[in-house]
């Protein structure tokens, strides 16, 4: 079955007929020389997002018109994005299509349409002996990472999702191995869902201290940049008693909630996505390399890791082109870290795609045929960070003149690099700031977008197809216009793992959070 699917995608995008008689394609033999699978999700990154960042770099770094990004050079097709109940998916259903290779309803975290948990590619990989990882710039309990290792009927059940990620406080329904709690390495944000409600940084609705429970379960926990940096690279391990044993499992959460937008990130506080990825690959590679001393088992087939550029999407929701741009460039950088790893470990496959497009970004608005990438260059901060500062200023003064003065004197010239602003740009931002965070972020984003001649059709997602990219081992087997569930099937076939067996081990996993109250968005 595995080779058949590969063959179909490789050779006949249109016809699924008569494939059972086809001979295996060269290199498509199950498992031959395959080791690791790195799956990357650029959340909310559409084809226009790639064009935006490419044109920016071409212009700003004086690149040739033929210059392509790390992703351009590995384009293999497109991914279709709909969920089971709507043509416009959310990230929960989008990630479930990849992780379970099944459609579900928007909001569903690795569950089927009938609310039953479905085994994921990560869980099935773990059952087969692979070492597993999740890296994201969002909260680790957020929809995309959650859908690889947790099961919930609603993406906002993050109390329950966090418990499942570390297999804690579930009354023995779960167990390492079969069941849940299958992730060996987690890097990202979202510490607050691991801390009790009464803790200063906590955001749970109960008093469970999952941080402590994870430590009791053997997790090494990290929360600071310093701890991240001190996590020695495997090749340095020989001299260090601390590193003689494998550092896995490991839980590194470097922000209370989401990690910072790349444009706002203070490198002294938080590692970048590319840094978390480089360290994760080092650790997973060492743990699965039978020739190094700290590998737990010489029979480990390799590793599976999902890496998410999460805030590309959130900048799209904010209609904030500069934050979108900088998170895309950091994602490219991460792709280049992964490609470099594959050049040294050619038994590894990278697949990168998006769950959906966000914002309905267009490059150009009526009436002229042009847009100005250089408008984004002087922008220093995300709309999110600007609006939280304005909200604060408004709290302090509640004086509209003070707010407008701050917009004229600081926000427009210093943060956005706009010195010849108009009175209406100032009042657009100040009146939106009084309406709330969402209106404010859109107003700031639209001032920059209008000057750059960029358009947005929505503060949500769209149903557009997105790019599909692959590099490394058997990447030539992935071709054409695929449904998101077919991308999931490809991952499963590459690892040659059994989703049905993983599903069977999940029957007792609680998918509903007790006392859950749906937040209003
Ligand atoms: C675990 O059991 C205790 C006592 O029976 C109960 O209060 C708690 O809600 C249970 N937790 C879960 C996650 O089922
Ligand atoms: C395993 O580790 C050894 C020693 O560091 C290295 O030479 C070898 O290339 C590694 N193998 C893989 C598959 O990474
Ligand atoms: C502001 O200055 C820029 C660069 O000189 C110019 O392109 C733009 O049209 C000006 N905008 C306004 C509103 O004056
Ligand atoms: Zn989104």
């Amino acid at each position: 079955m595995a080779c058949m699917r590969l063959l179909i995608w490789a050779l006949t995008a249109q016809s699924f007929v008569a494939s059972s008689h086809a001979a295996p394609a060269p290199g498509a033999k199950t498992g031959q020389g395959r080791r690791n699978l790195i799956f990357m999700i650029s959340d909310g990154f559409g084809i226009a997002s790639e064009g935006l960042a490419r044109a920016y770099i071409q212009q700003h770094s004086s690149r040739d018109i033929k210059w392509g990004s790390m992703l351009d050079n590995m384009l293999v097709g497109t991914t279709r994005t709909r969920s089971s109940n709507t043509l416009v998916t959310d990230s929960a259903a989008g990630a479930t299509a990849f992780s379970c290779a099944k459609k579900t309803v928007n909001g569903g975290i690795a569950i089927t349409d009938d609310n039953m948990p479905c085994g994921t590619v990560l869980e099935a990989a773990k059952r087969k002996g692979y070492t597993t990882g999740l890296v994201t710039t969002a909260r680790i309990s957020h929809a995309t990472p959650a859908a690889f290792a947790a099961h919930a009927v609603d993406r906002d059940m993050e109390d329950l999702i966090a418990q499942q990620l570390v297999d804690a406080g579930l009354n023995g329904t779960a167990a390492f191995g079969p069941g849940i709690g299958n992730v060996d390495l987690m890097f990202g944000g979202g510490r607050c869902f691991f801390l009790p409600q009464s803790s200063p940084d906590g955001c749970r609705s109960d008093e469970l201290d999952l941080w402590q429970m994870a430590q009791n379960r053997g997790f090494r926990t990290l929360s600071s940049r310093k701890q991240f940096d001190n996590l020695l690279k495997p090749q340095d391990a020989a001299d260090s008693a601390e590193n003689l044993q494998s550092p896995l499992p490991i839980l590194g959460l470097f922000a209370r909630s989401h990690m910072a937008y790349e444009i706002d990130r203070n490198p002294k506080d938080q590692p970048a996505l590319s840094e978390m990825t480089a360290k994760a690959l080092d650790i997973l590679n060492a743990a699965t390399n039978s020739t190094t001393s700290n590998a737990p088992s010489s029979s480990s087939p390799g590793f599976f890791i999902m890496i998410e550029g999460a805030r590309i999407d959130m900048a799209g929701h904010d209609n904030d082109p500069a934050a979108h741009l900088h998170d895309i460039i950091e994602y490219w950088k991460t792709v280049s870290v992964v490609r470099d790893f594959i050049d040294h470990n050619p038994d590894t496959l990278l697949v990168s795609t998006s769950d959906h497009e966000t914002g309905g970004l267009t490059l150009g608005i009526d009436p002229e045929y042009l847009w100005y990438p250089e408008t984004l260059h002087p922008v220093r901060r995300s709309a999110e960070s600007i609006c939280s500062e304005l909200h604060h200023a408004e709290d302090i003064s509640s004086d509209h003149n003070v707010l407008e003065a701050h917009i004229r004197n600081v926000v427009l010239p210093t943060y956005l690099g706009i010195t010849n602003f108009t009175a209406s740009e100032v009042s657009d931002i100040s009146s939106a700031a009084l309406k709330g965070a969402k209106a404010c972020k859109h107003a700031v984003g639209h001032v920059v977008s209008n000057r750059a001649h960029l358009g947005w059709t929505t503060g949500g997602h769209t149903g557009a197809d997105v790019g599909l990219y692959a590099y490394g081992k058997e990447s030539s087997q992935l071709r054409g216009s695929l449904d998101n569930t077919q991308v999931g099937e490809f991952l499963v076939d590459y690892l040659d793992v059994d989703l049905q067996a993983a599903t069977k081990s999940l029957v007792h996993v609680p998918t509903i959070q007790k006392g859950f109250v749906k937040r209003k968005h």
Side-chain angles (χ1 to χ4, degrees), residues 448-503:
V448 176
S449 300
N450 289 339
R451 284 178 172 249
H453 285 232
L454 295 168
W456 303 89
T457 63
T458 174
H461 300 170
T462 74
D465 291 355
V466 292
L468 176 64
Y469 309 89
Y471 186 78
K473 185 81 179 163
E474 291 178 21
S475 54
S476 63
Q477 305 289 324
L478 193 59
R479 280 286 178 278
S481 164
L482 301 199
D483 185 66
N484 50 9
T485 55
Q486 291 175 297
V487 174
E489 286 166 8
F490 185 86
L491 305 178
V492 169
D493 286 347
Y494 177 84
L495 292 175
D496 194 22
V497 293
D498 186 350
L499 286 187
Q500 279 174 354
T503 299

Side-chain angles (χ1 to χ4, degrees), residues 368-383:
E368 287 148 314
Y369 285 17
L370 48 81
W371 76 277
Y372 301 112
E374 70 268 23
T375 307
L376 306 185
H377 183 238
V379 179
R380 289 280 161 270
R381 284 214 197 181
S382 70

Side-chain angles (χ1 to χ4, degrees), residues 184-476:
D184 296 307
L185 179 147
M186 288 178 262
F187 284 160
R191 213 161 51 237
C192 75
F193 279 102
F194 292 77
L195 298 172
Q197 185 179 40
S198 58
S199 135
D201 276 345
C203 61
R204 294 186 64 80
S205 57
D206 60 28
E207 282 299 319
L208 285 187
D209 186 346
L210 294 187
W211 199 251
Q212 182 63 53
M213 291 164 107
Q215 287 169 1
N216 296 346
R217 291 237 13 241
F219 276 90
R220 183 187 288 212
T221 54
L222 316 174
S223 55
S224 69
R225 170 86 213 203
K226 191 161 180 282
Q227 288 171 320
F228 177 82
D229 290 341
N230 287 345
L231 196 61
L232 292 184
K233 286 186 178 169
Q235 56 262 39
D236 304 332
D239 308 324
S240 160
E242 193 189 13
N243 276 275
L244 284 179
Q245 79 267 46
S246 167
L248 300 176
I250 185 165
L251 177 66
L253 302 182
F254 306 104
R256 184 181 176 271
S257 181
H258 302 307
M259 296 182 75
Y261 279 119
E262 186 56 26
I263 194 174
D264 299 327
R265 186 176 63 86
N266 178 351
K268 289 188 182 132
D269 288 345
Q270 293 181 10
L273 183 64
S274 57
E275 295 173 302
M276 293 194 290
T277 297
K279 189 144 316 213
L281 295 181
D282 272 350
I283 293 171
L284 294 178
N285 196 36
T288 53
N289 181 342
S290 54
T291 61
T292 54
S293 60
N294 61 357
S297 145
S298 58
S299 62
S300 174
F303 63 79
F304 169 77
I305 185 171
M306 191 288 296
I307 299 163
E308 183 198 20
R311 306 215 67 192
I312 297 170
D313 167 67
M314 298 177 197
H317 282 285
D318 293 348
N319 291 185
D320 178 347
H324 195 58
L325 169 72
H326 288 281
D327 268 53
I328 291 166
I329 293 172
E330 180 57 29
Y331 187 83
W332 286 351
K333 210 169 155 187
T334 307
V335 169
S336 114
V337 165
V338 172
R339 285 178 57 154
D340 189 54
F341 176 86
I342 292 176
D343 292 340
H344 292 94
N345 298 273
D347 46 9
T348 305
L349 170 66
L350 163 63
V351 175
S352 172
T353 190
S354 310
D355 45 359
H356 53 75
E357 190 273 354
T358 302
L361 173 65
T362 58
L363 312 181
I365 48 176
D366 248 0
E368 287 148 314
Y369 285 17
L370 48 81
W371 76 277
Y372 301 112
E374 70 268 23
T375 307
L376 306 185
H377 183 238
V379 179
R380 289 280 161 270
R381 284 214 197 181
S382 70
E384 178 186 82
S385 127
I386 290 171
C387 289
S388 102
E389 185 174 294
L390 289 178
H391 182 67
H392 204 64
E394 176 207 320
D395 277 355
I396 295 166
S397 67
S398 72
D399 178 342
H400 200 63
N401 292 326
V402 173
L403 187 66
E404 292 218 333
H406 189 66
I407 292 167
R408 274 195 302 271
N409 299 333
V410 181
V411 170
L412 285 158
T414 309
Y415 298 160
L416 302 179
I418 298 171
T419 47
N420 59 352
F421 47 82
T422 64
S424 73
E425 285 172 327
V426 175
S427 67
D428 281 355
I429 296 177
S430 68
S431 58
L434 299 174
K435 286 186 198 140
K438 187 175 177 188
C440 178
K441 291 186 283 187
H442 279 191
V444 171
H446 291 170
V447 164
V448 176
S449 300
N450 289 339
R451 284 178 172 249
H453 285 232
L454 295 168
W456 303 89
T457 63
T458 174
H461 300 170
T462 74
D465 291 355
V466 292
L468 176 64
Y469 309 89
Y471 186 78
K473 185 81 179 163
E474 291 178 21
S475 54
S476 63

